[in-house]
Amino acid sequence: MVWTLIIASFIATSVMTLFSYIVSWITQQPYKEPLLLAVLLNNFHVSDNKTSRTIGWSLHYLLGLLFVLAYDAIVRLEWLPISWTGALLYGTIIGIIGIIGWIIMFRMSYTKPKMSYRAFYTQLFVAHVIFALATADCYLWKLSNTAFFPNFTS
């Protein structure tokens, strides 16, 4: 079970990040969440740019793991099915949570990146839906192909 969470978290966060980087490249806007986290960390006087980037990337993947853990709990409680529809609903919920989180972080920040915030929040919402779809895909794939997800508990 732990491997499922780790693999799903890594895949879903990576797919979401790839989407954000592509949108950032197309729009020429700084919509790269790990790097935006690094910029916000400068408010806390992190010693150097490399350290803040490392912390930004680590936080980004840690938050991805937390969202996968939440998805896992919601599925286990049978509040949502492991399905595309369930993933769309979960993506909508975490998209709204993500937008609220970024609004709070930007309001608390002394340094704010120059960008279109409305467009950032739009792409962020879509990125979270993609994250949820990727997470559900990992769970659906695990259900049909357990060889990829090792089970060390048995």
Side-chain angles (χ1 to χ4, degrees), residues 3 7 9 11 18 21 24-25 31 36 40 43 54-55 58 60 67 69 78 87-88 93 98 113 122 131 140 151-152:
W3 283 105
I7 292 168
S9 171
I11 290 172
L18 178 62
Y21 270 66
S24 183
W25 178 70
Y31 299 156
L36 287 171
L40 296 177
N43 292 308
T54 301
I55 295 170
S58 299
H60 184 60
F67 277 130
L69 288 170
E78 297 182 358
L88 287 172
I93 293 166
T122 301
F131 173 92
L140 290 166
N151 182 0
F152 294 114

Side-chain angles (χ1 to χ4, degrees), residues 29-149:
Q29 294 285 320
Y31 299 156
K32 302 170 182 176
E33 291 87 359
L35 302 182
L36 287 171
L37 286 169
V39 168
L40 296 177
L41 285 170
N42 288 331
N43 292 308
F44 300 102
H45 306 291
V46 176
S47 60
D48 60 56
N49 197 29
K50 184 177 179 183
T51 302
S52 63
R53 283 179 183 242
T54 301
I55 295 170
W57 277 97
S58 299
L59 281 173
H60 184 60
Y61 274 89
L62 177 63
L63 290 168
L65 177 60
L66 293 176
F67 277 130
V68 169
L69 288 170
Y71 177 79
D72 190 72
I74 289 168
V75 165
R76 286 179 182 278
L77 291 169
E78 297 182 358
W79 292 351
L80 278 179
I82 300 174
S83 67
W84 300 119
T85 305
L88 287 172
L89 180 57
Y90 184 65
T92 299
I93 293 166
I94 64 173
I96 293 168
I97 291 169
I99 290 168
I100 292 168
W102 278 100
I103 288 171
I104 292 168
M105 287 188 290
F106 286 135
R107 286 197 178 152
M108 292 175 47
S109 176
Y110 299 114
T111 55
K112 294 177 177 52
K114 293 180 182 178
M115 65 179 181
S116 168
Y117 286 87
R118 175 171 274 178
F120 171 69
Y121 297 134
T122 301
Q123 80 79 34
L124 185 70
F125 180 83
V126 174
H128 280 85
V129 171
I130 290 170
F131 173 92
L133 290 169
T135 301
D137 191 43
C138 288
Y139 274 69
L140 290 166
W141 199 70
K142 180 194 181 294
L143 291 173
S144 65
N145 183 3
T146 56
F148 181 74
F149 292 91

